[in-house]
Amino acid sequence: MTAVAVLPQPATTAAAPRRLRKRWLAFSAVMTAAVMDLLDSTVMNVAAPAIRGDLGGSYASLQWMAAGYTMALAVLLLVGGRLGDLVGRKRALLIGVAGFTVTSLLCGLAVSPEMLIASRVAQGAFAAVMLPQGFGLVRDLFEPDERTKAFGFFGPIMGLAAVLGPIIGGTVLDANLFGTGWRAIFLINIPIGLFTFAIAAKHLPDTKPSARKISLDIPGLLIASAGLFALVYPLVQGHELGWPLWSKLLLVASLPVLAGFGIHQSRRSRNGGTPLIEPRLLKSRPYLSGVFFAVVFFGAMAGTFVLGMFLQVGLGYTPIRASLAMAPWALGALIGSAVSGMTMQKYGRRLLHLGLALMAVGLTGTYAVLALTGLSVGSWDIAVPTLFGGIGMGKVFVPLFDIILSGVRDDEVGSATGMLGSFEQVGIALGIAVIGTIFMGKVSAADAATRALAALDGTQTALLATIAGLALAFAAGFLLPKSSRAGIEH
């Protein structure tokens, strides 16, 4: 026993750095897959005018180029998360990345608005397969003491990608790479996707499916899709159309449909089938509290989108200039994520409360600056408060999913991540619907001469609503587990 323990030690020690490097190389594939989704979910805001100038189509079709992606992602994340449990996380990620790359090519080759909308829907569907695998793959790659470091890197990159997406999209658009114009924002995914697929195929671990048996709950998929569609569609389109009666009826109808989905999942599990969502998750107070927290938090983040809209509508900034004016928020997200990644094991849930408090301070400071300067506000005037807001957001981003999923078993990771991701999208859509309606309601009611002042008033009101949302998230945070999952070995 002693000889066996001692003799191989040099080889093991020498091999350890190589294995570590391979783990980080594999982790880069997980990270780039997530970054591709974040970039493609935001580029339409910059590219829309150029696309309409080239392909034509109505403003409604432009909205659906963005909304179609969000809809498919929100509705199918449940399936994507469960697919990782059923066929293995590596295989599911490869399917998602391959499909996302191909549909990005179709987006770049679109010859009509209808083709682009259909390609964007398909792109969102494959993103729903690709994204939920990330958390489980990080657990497969790293030991508990290394996971904290991995999430420490993951958080800043994701925060930066979310904020810098429009800047990158605008830069690629202006560069007009090889004369491709707006098409480059989609075609650039092809080399990134090929790199991600190659690295993932070679270096990600082949883990066995964690679910008990391989079968997909088709009736559950149809019920969940109907319920989420009824919930997300009116949130995406309702505020654009003035909240017609059908949008309100759909929202009300979504509740019994989603309740019926929960009943179906429990019945399927009792009968020995494989549900899309493990029924235990639907009875777990910490997990359901986490889902509620995610909906409120991501909904409140819509206030930052409104600030960017004010810079364009109220002050006449170009999309790129408005994105650059929000760069302090991105820098803050990088700082907050880095600090949070290093301290999440020690402070756990307290980081969420600190981050929410800093976000509220930043947005309150922004409100005060707008109240004092009015339409004469400049980019540097809001630099400090937005920096604080970004730091707060970064502190929340890194430990959030880890804390929410702290009590989830291995065979539930895909299901839990998919459901959480779906309701994250619901939160974003809800926030944009509520806070966007506040802003656009004031802007649309004004004439050209008073539109800038109306945008200022709408932004201040939206900021107050966002701060209220952060206060609700702060209260909901006390229902979450106190520690993160990264340090828990299963």
Side-chain angles (χ1 to χ4, degrees):
M1 291 293 291
T2 304
V4 172
V6 173
L7 289 176
Q9 190 170 354
T12 304
T13 303
R18 289 196 295 273
R19 288 200 303 270
L20 182 61
R21 284 197 296 271
K22 288 182 179 180
R23 285 202 294 274
W24 286 104
L25 188 60
F27 174 70
S28 72
V30 177
M31 196 161 56
T32 52
V35 167
M36 281 196 299
D37 162 68
L38 276 174
L39 293 179
D40 273 58
S41 64
T42 57
V43 292
M44 283 301 304
N45 297 333
V46 176
I51 293 174
R52 188 167 187 263
D54 183 21
L55 298 182
S58 63
Y59 285 105
S61 65
L62 286 180
Q63 292 169 13
W64 271 108
M65 290 171 197
Y69 183 94
T70 302
M71 284 285 303
L73 181 62
V75 169
L76 295 176
L77 268 169
L78 285 177
V79 182
R82 199 50 167 161
L83 192 64
D85 293 334
L86 296 175
V87 305
R89 292 164 191 146
K90 176 179 178 177
R91 185 180 300 177
L93 181 77
L94 291 174
I95 292 170
V97 170
F100 193 90
T101 304
V102 170
T103 51
S104 294
L105 175 62
L106 294 176
C107 288
L109 298 178
V111 295
S112 68
E114 293 75 19
M115 180 178 175
L116 184 53
I117 291 170
S119 300
R120 286 283 285 171
V121 170
Q123 195 183 33
F126 281 107
V129 177
M130 179 174 67
L131 283 178
Q133 317 312 326
F135 187 88
L137 285 169
V138 170
R139 291 190 59 256
D140 294 338
L141 283 168
F142 297 102
E143 297 299 325
D145 59 334
E146 292 174 334
R147 289 176 202 154
T148 300
K149 188 185 298 183
F151 282 109
F153 281 104
F154 197 83
I157 297 299
M158 297 300 288
L160 280 175
V163 179
L164 295 181
I167 300 176
I168 296 172
T171 302
V172 171
L173 193 65
D174 286 348
N176 191 24
L177 300 173
F178 307 107
T180 54
W182 62 267
R183 300 177 188 275
I185 64 175
F186 298 112
L187 296 177
I188 199 172
N189 286 332
I190 296 172
I192 299 174
L194 291 174
F195 164 82
T196 304
F197 188 93
I199 296 298
K202 185 174 182 180
H203 295 294
L204 282 176
D206 286 303
T207 54
K208 294 181 180 179
S210 57
R212 293 184 299 274
K213 62 168 77 172
I214 298 179
S215 64
L216 191 60
D217 179 11
I218 300 299
L221 167 62
L222 295 176
I223 298 171
S225 298
L228 286 170
F229 180 86
L231 178 62
V232 176
Y233 180 76
L235 292 177
V236 171
Q237 289 291 101
H239 72 286
E240 297 284 348
L241 303 175
W243 296 105
L245 179 61
W246 63 260
S247 66
K248 299 172 184 177
L249 292 176
L250 266 183
L251 282 173
V252 173
S254 69
L255 299 178
V257 175
L258 290 174
F261 169 71
I263 295 171
H264 170 78
Q265 294 298 280
S266 297
R267 182 179 298 133
R268 182 176 174 86
S269 180
R270 287 196 303 270
N271 293 335
T274 305
L276 286 176
I277 295 178
E278 289 290 344
R280 195 183 78 88
L281 294 175
L282 301 176
K283 300 175 183 177
S284 170
R285 186 184 67 81
Y287 176 75
L288 293 179
S289 298
V291 171
F292 175 72
F293 179 92
V295 169
V296 176
F297 171 70
F298 284 101
M301 280 181 58
T304 63
F305 305 149
V306 168
L307 186 58
M309 291 173 63
F310 163 70
L311 295 174
Q312 297 178 64
V313 176
L315 303 183
Y317 284 22
T318 63
I320 295 178
R321 186 183 175 191
S323 298
L324 290 173
M326 295 295 291
W329 189 281
L331 176 61
L334 177 63
I335 295 171
S337 296
V339 173
S340 189
M342 292 184 290
T343 58
M344 60 185 274
Q345 283 300 98
K346 182 177 181 180
Y347 295 108
R349 188 179 70 186
R350 284 175 288 179
L351 282 176
L352 300 183
H353 285 121
L354 178 58
L356 291 169
L358 284 175
M359 283 185 71
V361 168
L363 293 177
T364 301
T366 304
Y367 177 92
V369 168
L370 293 178
L372 291 172
T373 60
L375 294 177
S376 64
V377 65
S379 301
W380 288 106
D381 296 323
I382 60 173
V384 172
T386 53
L387 177 68
F388 273 95
I391 291 173
M393 185 186 76
K395 282 186 173 296
V396 175
F397 258 13
V398 173
L400 176 58
F401 272 58
D402 218 23
I403 289 174
I404 293 174
L405 299 174
S406 62
V408 174
R409 298 194 308 251
D410 286 352
D411 61 329
E412 299 169 339
V413 167
S415 176
T417 306
M419 179 175 170
L420 188 56
S422 290
F423 279 93
E424 173 191 326
Q425 296 297 318
V426 169
I428 292 172
L430 180 62
I432 292 175
V434 174
I435 297 176
T437 297
I438 292 172
F439 178 83
M440 293 307 299
K442 292 182 179 291
V443 171
S444 60
D447 55 29
T450 60
R451 185 163 296 143
L453 285 173
L456 175 63
D457 183 29
T459 301
Q460 290 178 290
T461 306
L463 287 174
L464 292 177
T466 301
I467 294 167
L470 293 175
L472 179 58
F474 191 94
F478 288 105
L479 300 175
L480 299 178
K482 292 183 178 181
S483 59
S484 65
R485 183 187 179 99
I488 300 172
E489 192 163 6
H490 292 264

